[in-house]
Amino acid sequence: MKGEWSREETARDEVLGGRGVLPESSVERFTLLPISPEDPNASPWVSAGPRCAIGSHPANDLILGDRTVSRFHCEIVIDAAGARVRDLESRNGTYVDGVRVSEGWLRHDSLLRLGQSEVRFRLAGERLAMRTSPRTHFGTLVGHSVAMRSAFAMLELASASNATVLIEGETGTGKEEASFSLHDASARSGKPFVIIDCSAIPPNLLESELFGHERGAFTGALHRRLGAFEEADGGTVFIDEVGELPLELQPKLLRVLERKTVRRVGENAHRPVDVRVVAATNRNLRSEVNKGRFRADLYYRLAVVNVRLPPLRERPEDLAFLVERILDSLAATIDQRRRLLTPEFFARLQRGAWPGNVRQLRNYIEQCLVLDELPPMEEEWRSPSSISVDPRLSYAEARRRALDAFERAYLQRLLELHGGSVSEAARAAGINRVYMHRLLRRHALRG
């Protein structure tokens, strides 16, 4: 027994690069110098972290008073790989040294052009330590990587306050887990935790789900109903996929955040509520603001504390921890652990793209246990022409696997085509949105 566990730990440590040592990180500090003929002595903006948002809205780090600059124009991210700029689907585009980019690498002294404004990017020549948690877990979330422990540090700070929190991350990164863990670590832990999924509720019912309704407020309203905010009084409301909240409901949510009162559908009176709001999205809400699909003032109120959960591809060093946790939750036997917890298996996992992130990883590990073999990896699912066919299987089983692979590839590309909007994807595919959600969950493409 002891030898078996030692082997597993050795395999894990080969992935982690050393046992018991938490990786620490720092990033190079950078400065941004607005170049303006009207103000030749403009002061440089100095980075205080690895990210910087630039635009005309007051919520940005660097604010440019130029009408040709979008409210959230672009963002700069710097990490161990270097510095890069990402356009946020701005009106007039982002240019790096004269070349328009959607995302591009920056070098020292690069010139950014945003609308009619220019900004000089310079490396400051000194390192800036990133805020990370010393813990490798937060509630049900686990992670050894700097990226995850940076998220844990933000969640720990947020749990000590009542501030509104916006959790951003791709599908399957654990946004709901993060929100519940945040609630559980806060002073509201003994109070209700109510979930509203904006993408799973028809728009005509969403207002009632959020704010409640009076009897007779609309056809079918036979009884008075409390909404999520009243149900969660004293606790937390988790608004999942807030980016899908219809524009006509966004001012009503904004009023709840600002005034701490709700008004049921069909009622004139406003009722006070004591709730903490945690919202989550797999969309870039700043891009949605630029497109006119999300209110800038609502984004500003939601992102009081902004927590980004990194995708699995950005934290491959966490694969070993995650696999062990998944095997524990699935009650894997010693023999099953012996077969999976090997350097070869972890190397195989690190080659995966994992667009469904941790949820997809769990599904894959579960398949390994149920089928007692290693199913095809993501790179083998990317297109029907690359689907691996095993002639040792029965026709029915081989056909089922091929159809699953096609279905998953189709759904993934459909979502990419429609910017992650489940509603638009379902409409374009000609299928019911509820059925679309069922398919996405089946293939671990829904967060």
Side-chain angles (χ1 to χ4, degrees):
M1 179 77 70
K2 185 176 181 181
E4 291 168 354
W5 284 109
S6 296
R7 181 183 176 187
E8 292 175 13
E9 290 176 355
T10 300
R12 181 192 68 192
D13 294 337
E14 288 187 23
V15 177
L16 297 178
R19 184 183 310 176
V21 179
L22 292 178
E24 296 300 336
S25 178
S26 62
V27 294
E28 189 158 6
R29 193 185 292 271
F30 62 91
T31 63
L32 298 175
L33 178 62
I35 300 173
S36 170
E38 292 80 16
D39 187 9
N41 298 315
S43 300
W45 179 89
V46 182
S47 65
R51 292 176 177 270
C52 169
I54 308 174
S56 59
H57 192 273
N60 289 283
D61 300 298
L62 177 61
I63 305 166
L64 299 176
D66 178 351
R67 296 179 65 182
T68 64
V69 173
S70 295
R71 285 175 286 188
F72 297 96
H73 201 101
C74 66
E75 69 174 352
I76 294 174
V77 179
I78 190 166
D79 54 27
R84 57 195 182 277
V85 63
R86 181 182 298 118
D87 184 74
L88 298 175
E89 300 188 54
S90 60
R91 285 193 313 274
N92 297 314
T94 298
Y95 293 78
V96 177
D97 296 325
V99 178
R100 183 167 183 168
V101 299
S102 57
E103 183 169 349
W105 293 99
L106 298 172
R107 56 179 177 81
H108 177 71
D109 229 30
S110 282
L111 183 66
L112 293 169
R113 180 158 62 84
L114 321 173
Q116 295 179 359
S117 296
E118 292 184 329
V119 177
R120 181 74 66 183
F121 171 86
R122 287 177 176 158
L123 296 171
E126 60 184 50
R127 307 292 294 182
L128 178 68
M130 292 178 60
R131 172 181 282 164
T132 57
S133 171
R135 300 159 58 191
T136 56
H137 67 90
F138 181 82
T140 57
L141 297 174
V142 296
H144 177 279
S145 63
V146 170
M148 278 305 285
R149 290 190 298 113
S150 295
F152 295 164
M154 293 299 296
L155 289 167
E156 287 166 3
L157 289 172
S159 67
S161 75
N162 280 315
T164 304
V165 178
L166 176 64
I167 302 174
E168 297 180 296
E170 295 180 6
T171 179
T173 50
K175 297 186 291 295
E176 185 173 330
E177 283 188 77
S179 66
F180 180 76
S181 296
L182 175 61
H183 168 77
D184 199 43
S186 73
R188 296 176 179 266
S189 59
K191 300 296 184 177
F193 177 79
V194 179
I195 302 173
I196 291 291
D197 187 341
C198 294
S199 64
I201 302 172
N204 61 319
L205 298 179
L206 190 52
E207 182 178 9
S208 175
E209 292 290 324
L210 282 168
F211 311 118
H213 65 254
E214 288 293 318
R215 178 182 178 183
F218 50 83
T219 303
L222 303 179
H223 305 282
R224 185 180 68 182
R225 185 186 189 284
L226 299 184
F229 285 95
E230 288 187 83
E231 288 181 356
D233 195 36
T236 302
V237 172
F238 172 52
I239 306 177
D240 199 8
E241 298 306 337
V242 70
E244 303 232 12
L245 186 69
L247 266 174
E248 61 269 21
L249 292 185
Q250 291 179 23
K252 298 183 179 181
L253 176 58
L254 180 62
R255 280 196 293 271
V256 175
L257 294 173
E258 290 181 337
R259 302 176 186 174
K260 305 298 183 184
T261 61
V262 295
R263 182 171 63 85
R264 299 173 189 159
V265 179
E267 184 183 44
N268 292 325
H270 287 77
R271 300 172 181 273
V273 289
D274 173 24
V275 294
R276 193 225 192 116
V277 174
V278 178
T281 180
N282 63 7
R283 297 189 184 190
N284 190 317
L285 291 187
R286 291 171 295 182
S287 295
E288 297 296 296
V289 169
N290 290 338
K291 294 175 185 175
R293 296 202 292 240
F294 204 83
R295 291 176 61 110
D297 50 2
L298 178 56
Y299 171 77
Y300 188 67
R301 291 293 303 178
L302 288 173
V304 176
V305 177
N306 200 325
V307 179
R308 177 181 178 269
L309 294 182
L312 195 51
R313 64 181 175 275
E314 291 184 9
R315 52 182 188 120
E317 62 268 46
D318 285 341
L319 278 169
F321 277 174
L322 290 169
V323 170
E324 289 187 19
R325 179 193 176 202
I326 292 168
L327 290 174
D328 288 342
S329 70
L330 295 175
T333 66
I334 293 295
D335 286 341
Q336 289 172 325
R337 289 174 178 273
R338 185 189 300 114
R339 286 195 297 271
L340 293 182
L341 295 179
T342 65
E344 294 76 20
F345 181 67
F346 286 129
R348 176 185 176 89
L349 295 181
Q350 287 182 321
R351 291 195 295 270
W354 306 113
N357 294 291
V358 179
R359 181 178 288 106
Q360 183 189 351
L361 176 66
R362 179 186 172 86
N363 287 358
Y364 182 75
I365 298 299
E366 191 167 7
Q367 288 177 29
C368 292
L369 298 181
V370 172
L371 302 177
D372 199 25
E373 63 179 39
L374 302 183
M377 293 286 289
E378 169 64 21
E379 59 268 19
E380 298 173 305
W381 297 338
R382 287 192 176 275
S383 67
S385 62
S386 65
I387 294 173
S388 176
V389 176
D390 188 349
R392 296 171 297 178
L393 300 173
S394 67
Y395 169 78
E397 178 62 16
R399 180 176 182 273
R400 182 190 66 78
R401 292 193 185 187
L403 288 174
D404 281 349
F406 159 76
E407 196 172 74
R408 190 179 192 288
Y410 174 79
L411 292 169
Q412 182 181 341
R413 291 172 186 173
L414 183 67
L415 281 177
E416 290 173 356
L417 180 63
H418 295 282
S421 171
V422 177
S423 301
E424 293 177 15
R427 188 161 46 249
I431 60 179
N432 181 274
R433 190 171 68 169
V434 174
Y435 181 60
M436 179 75 168
H437 277 284
R438 192 177 305 142
L439 292 176
L440 294 175
R441 288 191 173 93
R442 179 190 305 168
H443 295 284
L445 293 172
R446 176 70 176 80

